[in-house]
Amino acid sequence: MNPVYNFSAGPAVLPKEVLAQAAAEMLDWHGSGMSVMEMSHRGPEFISIYQQAVADLRELLAVPDNYKILFLQGGGLGENAIIPMNLVGLSATQPASIDFVQTGAWSGKSIKEAAKYAKVNVAASSQAGGFAGVPPVSEWQLTPGAAYLHICTNETIDGVEFQEAPQVPGGTTIVADMSSHILSRVVDVSQYGVIFGGAQKNIGPAGLTVVIVREDLLGHALDICPSAFDWANVAEHESMYNTPPTYGIYIAGLVFQWLKRQGGVAAMEQRNIEKAALLYAALDADDFYQNRVAPPYRSRMTIPFYLRDESLNEAFLAGAKQRGLLQLKGHKSVGGMRASIYNAMPIEGVQALVTYLNEFAGR
Ligand SMILES: *Cc1c(COP(=O)(O)O)cnc(C)c1O
């Protein structure tokens, strides 16, 4: 049987080595006689798993000492409410305000949710252009005194990726939704006030949300903010104010160790550049397939594409499945296809997809 390659957008492919290790440790973690799922989050076994995971993530992303790493629940969408509840108190405007740059579906959802907590200002939007890129930073209409600026640095559905941290006026706190490309490329954490993401795209299983937050942004939560989502409270309790998603943290920790064995984030980024180049070259070879994102903003992780003749969609997906190329159907809101090629997708998977793309197009 051919190997199976899973292109799901999320929950998504995990490294085979990690799954095998988790399977081997399932019934008895390191001679403890317990599964990680059965351990008290306050016991020495789990505390060691947690501490190693935090330390490895800090090392992988070179997170500066004045940032906290928090493990929460609620996913990316949960953070769309949790972030305003923690940060709108920092706004100098009356009423409190938040700036957004709208580059696709996920930033759009963040805007909608934040409007429950503050006045939202869409500083720039690429909606009129069909979300084919990021509006030039020079055209962003930022609000003096806004609590923060929210961006989604990889739009998972639209396939648009920021290639660098936007250079905005000093003192602007950037909050970045990195759910679908965290750890795929080197980032300078110090450019951001908050980096957050659901784990199920590029880190581990669903149920864990990672928040990296600069310390001076803690302690401003609204009174209505649930204690379990008040970052200052969560930070003070080392992410154990309430029971954290222990198994998710364990798997994330195994993924962090796997990433270190691969050479870390910089080495991963080189592989991701190579994988994406291979796939875009096949999509661009002629007009049988189409990716509609302007080349400078094309995502390396989540790559939507369309067949010129959409009546072939079902045949394309059926043929792909037969070859072990799974979950290529596009998001229902935009249709077409999508290949998510996260860190755990080996280059062989992309090569197998390219072979199929060429074959199906009759090249
Ligand atoms: C998947 C995703 C989310 C939503 O995550 P949930 O865990 O489903 O809440 C938010 N933002 C981005 C960029 C995503 O890709």
Side-chain angles (χ1 to χ4, degrees), residues 193-263:
V194 178
I195 290 171
F196 73 99
Q200 72 272 24
K201 313 286 167 61
N202 211 18
I203 295 180
L208 166 66
T209 316
V210 174
V211 175
I212 302 170
V213 53
R214 210 175 57 224
E215 280 169 357
D216 62 280
L217 300 174
L218 301 174
H220 306 280
L222 300 178
D223 289 342
I224 58 160
C225 182
S227 305
F229 295 143
D230 175 342
W231 290 337
N233 186 40
V234 175
E236 192 185 326
H237 291 88
E238 294 276 334
S239 297
M240 303 208 196
Y241 170 72
N242 64 334
T243 313
T246 52
Y247 200 75
I249 291 170
Y250 158 69
I251 298 286
L254 296 185
V255 171
F256 300 153
Q257 285 173 17
W258 176 81
L259 282 169
K260 286 170 67 175
R261 290 198 299 277
Q262 306 306 302

Side-chain angles (χ1 to χ4, degrees), residues 81-96:
I82 294 167
I83 294 166
M85 281 193 284
N86 274 277
L87 296 185
V88 293
L90 291 164
S91 176
T93 63
Q94 273 301 339

Side-chain angles (χ1 to χ4, degrees), residues 74-78 106 152 154-156 177 179-180 198 200-201:
L77 290 180
W106 288 112
C152 176
N154 190 66
E155 289 280 2
T156 319
D177 180 353
S179 293
S180 55
Q200 72 272 24
K201 313 286 167 61

Side-chain angles (χ1 to χ4, degrees), residues 16-207:
K16 286 277 177 289
E17 276 172 64
V18 165
L19 294 177
Q21 186 178 347
E25 296 177 347
M26 174 61 79
L27 297 183
D28 179 6
W29 182 83
H30 295 199
S32 66
M34 296 179 279
S35 171
V36 174
M37 268 183 267
E38 304 171 305
M39 288 173 184
S40 164
H41 56 297
R42 307 203 188 278
E45 296 89 354
F46 185 75
I47 295 285
S48 75
I49 291 172
Y50 158 80
Q51 286 175 341
Q52 191 66 49
V54 172
D56 286 340
L57 181 56
R58 193 174 283 282
E59 181 184 330
L60 283 163
L61 285 177
V63 178
D65 288 344
N66 63 326
Y67 284 70
K68 295 283 190 203
I69 294 176
L70 309 180
F71 293 147
L72 288 104
Q73 303 182 57
L77 290 180
E79 285 305 316
N80 283 343
I82 294 167
I83 294 166
M85 281 193 284
N86 274 277
L87 296 185
V88 293
L90 291 164
S91 176
T93 63
Q94 273 301 339
S97 62
I98 309 169
D99 283 343
F100 284 86
V101 174
Q102 186 186 18
T103 48
W106 288 112
S107 48
K109 283 188 196 237
S110 302
I111 290 168
K112 223 170 148 187
E113 188 73 10
K116 296 179 181 175
Y117 302 95
K119 183 174 179 304
V120 301
N121 165 47
V122 180
S125 173
S126 57
Q127 186 167 28
F131 295 129
V134 178
V137 180
S138 59
E139 292 171 12
W140 295 6
Q141 305 277 320
L142 300 177
T143 310
Y148 60 92
L149 164 67
H150 178 117
I151 57 176
C152 176
T153 47
N154 190 66
E155 289 280 2
T156 319
I157 293 174
D158 305 274
V160 173
E161 184 169 13
F162 282 65
Q163 304 300 331
E164 57 194 5
Q167 294 308 303
V168 290
T172 307
T173 298
I174 304 177
V175 171
D177 180 353
M178 296 197 183
S179 293
S180 55
H181 75 163
I182 190 167
L183 292 166
S184 72
R185 60 189 300 147
V186 175
V187 294
D188 177 358
V189 173
S190 72
Q191 301 282 306
Y192 302 90
V194 178
I195 290 171
F196 73 99
Q200 72 272 24
K201 313 286 167 61
N202 211 18
I203 295 180

Side-chain angles (χ1 to χ4, degrees), residues 280-321:
Y280 282 113
L283 295 174
D284 289 344
D286 51 44
D287 65 356
F288 192 89
Y289 303 105
Q290 187 189 28
N291 168 279
R292 298 174 183 166
V293 178
Y297 307 106
R298 284 172 158 186
S299 172
R300 294 175 187 160
M301 290 279 102
T302 49
I303 302 178
F305 63 94
Y306 296 89
L307 274 61
R308 183 192 48 194
D309 179 356
E310 295 230 88
S311 72
L312 298 175
N313 283 357
E314 289 312 313
F316 176 87
L317 288 168
K321 194 170 175 190

